[in-house]
Every structure is written in C-alpha cells, then in structure tokens.
Amino acid sequence: MSSSAIEPESSDLVCQLDNVQGVVDALTSVRWKKQQDAVLELSEHGIVLIVEETACLQAKVYLQRELFVRYEYSAEGRPRFGVSLGLFVDCLNTFSVQGHSSAIEIRYPGPDMQLLLKSVDSSDSCTYAEIRTRIPDTISWDYNFEPAGSTPLSFTVKSAALKEAIDDLEWPGSSIHLILQPTPPSVTFRGEGHGDLQIDFMYHVNTDLLAAFHCDRQVSHRYKYKFLRATTSNIPSSVIRDNRGSKLTIGRGGMLKVQHLVSVAKPAMPQPHIDSAGYQQPSRIAYIEFFVKPEVDEDDANDT
C-alpha cells in the first residue's frame, strides 16, 4: 500500500469501477486457497483473470468493458501479467465500504510495471494502492472445451442447491461421480467414502431447483472432490440471495465446465430480468467459468 503514487504519462489501460464490492465478490469466487497466483489479461474487450491448480482445475473471471464506467485501452496486442490473487482481492477490499458503492480507478502499467489503484469518489481524501506484478508463468494446460456431441450435455441448477449438494458429499481425498441420464431426466452426484452418498436432481419433479436439462444419452464421469468443491466453495452471498442459477456442461472427454454469474451493479440500481433458468440477462454481470478435468482410468470409456 502507498499513500501516494506516481502515475505514468501513458498507460495501456485506465478504467473506473463504480462498485468495488461486486468485483471483490467475483474474484473471491475463484479464490479456493490462501496462496494463489493469477494471470491478468487485458484487451479492448475487458479484463480476464485466470487461476489454475495442478493442471486439473482452471478458473476464469471475465470483466467485460461494459462493467466499467470508463474504459480506455491503448495497448497493442493483449498484455498479460501475474499478480497474487489474495493481495489483489485484499487491496480491492480496502476501497470497499460496507453499504456504500465505492468507486476506484485501475491503471496499468505504473512506472515499475505496477498495477495502480486509486479511489475517485471522495473530494476529501484519496487512497492509493500499488500491486507489484510479475512476468506470468505459461498457463500449463489448454482446457480446449469442446461439445461432447451434437446435443449439449448440460443442466442449470440453483447455485444454493448445487453448493449444498457438493458440501454434503465431502469426504477427504474422495471422488465424485457425476451422472446424467435422459430417462428419467436426472442429474446424480455420488460420493465415495465410507459408504456411498448420493444426491439426485430429478428434472420433472423439481423444476425450481433443476431449471434446465439437456441430455440425449447417459454419461458418467468422476472428478476429484477437492476440485469440484472449489467451483462452489466461495459462491458470493449475493448469488445465493438473488436465487440465481449455475450452469454445468460436460464436454468432450468429460471436461466439466461450471458457470456462475455475479452482479457488479450498484446496489441502488434495479436488477435486470432473471429468466426461468435463473440466468440474469447480460448487463452489469461478471462471468465466472471453472474447468475441471475428470479422473480417468483404463476402464473409463464413457463419452469418449
């Protein structure tokens, strides 16, 4: 942190946010452990933050330029740099005041390639922060998410119900079977530990929880519990409160994509329409995506 900052004469990016807390919520949703490095990628379309774990789990937060009240981009190409995710979130939190939509300016790069943050909504005082950046490591794997067939294998479930189901299946070091079947149309999460625990979402029985379902054949894949739990462990309370849905899609080879939507609208703003699938119509929304690789063994030949 710094009490003052020297702004460079020209920057690749200068942008302003009018609701810091919404961005804190979005970034916290991909913070599954205390020490975590992230890569930020800048473009004329917005900012993407990428984190990953042991080439088995990757998450992305998309902050589209429409989320910013000001977005001035002048770089050639797409600059990328690494930061500590925890430090970035903690710095943003210092600008967030409970019950008040704090506005900040984000600028990159600073004189020493820092990420610069500055409060802009107070005439009485101004807070600065500088975050050291680093040359990013190469992202170790390309998720290369492709459809598993001509019919999407996907379902949309209320985020609160999804989080509760995964929390209930907890067993250290265990795996979770995810099973989709068209008849009867249902989704099953089956945990393996001392005995089996199974949670079913039946499409026609409770459409309030399982809001959408697309499946034309039975598929079953197994995922490490700790990676599956990371996709829901820090879902923001605003998502639960607003009763939003999360979408899960199984791609080629069993790759699992989990998508959440986090509002970054100012609290005083009326909320956009939420459709029957629990998805908020694009407005002031940050898109969160997780990609989880399945566990594979010699006998696992499902959906290849």
Side-chain angles (χ1 to χ4, degrees), residues 79-127:
R80 302 178 83 191
F81 56 90
V83 297
S84 162
L85 177 59
L87 180 60
F88 189 25
V89 171
D90 290 344
C91 282
L92 287 172
N93 256 325
T94 65
F95 293 87
S96 180
V97 179
Q98 191 70 26
H100 175 66
S101 298
S102 305
I104 65 167
E105 178 184 278
I106 301 174
R107 185 182 293 263
Y108 177 83
D112 295 315
M113 304 304 291
Q114 316 100 309
L115 183 65
L116 305 177
L117 311 178
K118 181 178 72 172
S119 61
V120 294
D121 60 352
S122 174
S123 58
D124 300 325
S125 63
C126 188
T127 303

Side-chain angles (χ1 to χ4, degrees), residues 168-190:
D168 287 346
L169 292 169
E170 181 173 8
W171 189 262
S174 67
S175 299
I176 303 296
H177 270 98
L178 175 58
I179 304 165
L180 274 66
Q181 60 181 18
T183 308
S186 61
V187 176
T188 298
F189 290 89
R190 182 181 299 152

Side-chain angles (χ1 to χ4, degrees), residues 47-110:
I47 300 172
V48 180
L49 179 137
I50 307 167
V51 291
E52 67 174 11
E53 171 108 357
T54 62
C56 292
L57 170 66
Q58 188 181 93
K60 294 185 176 184
V61 179
Y62 296 90
L63 303 174
Q64 297 176 303
R65 67 179 300 153
E66 290 78 14
L67 304 184
F68 300 87
V69 293
R70 175 189 177 197
Y71 195 89
E72 298 177 2
Y73 181 80
S74 58
E76 294 184 4
R78 297 191 172 191
R80 302 178 83 191
F81 56 90
V83 297
S84 162
L85 177 59
L87 180 60
F88 189 25
V89 171
D90 290 344
C91 282
L92 287 172
N93 256 325
T94 65
F95 293 87
S96 180
V97 179
Q98 191 70 26
H100 175 66
S101 298
S102 305
I104 65 167
E105 178 184 278
I106 301 174
R107 185 182 293 263
Y108 177 83

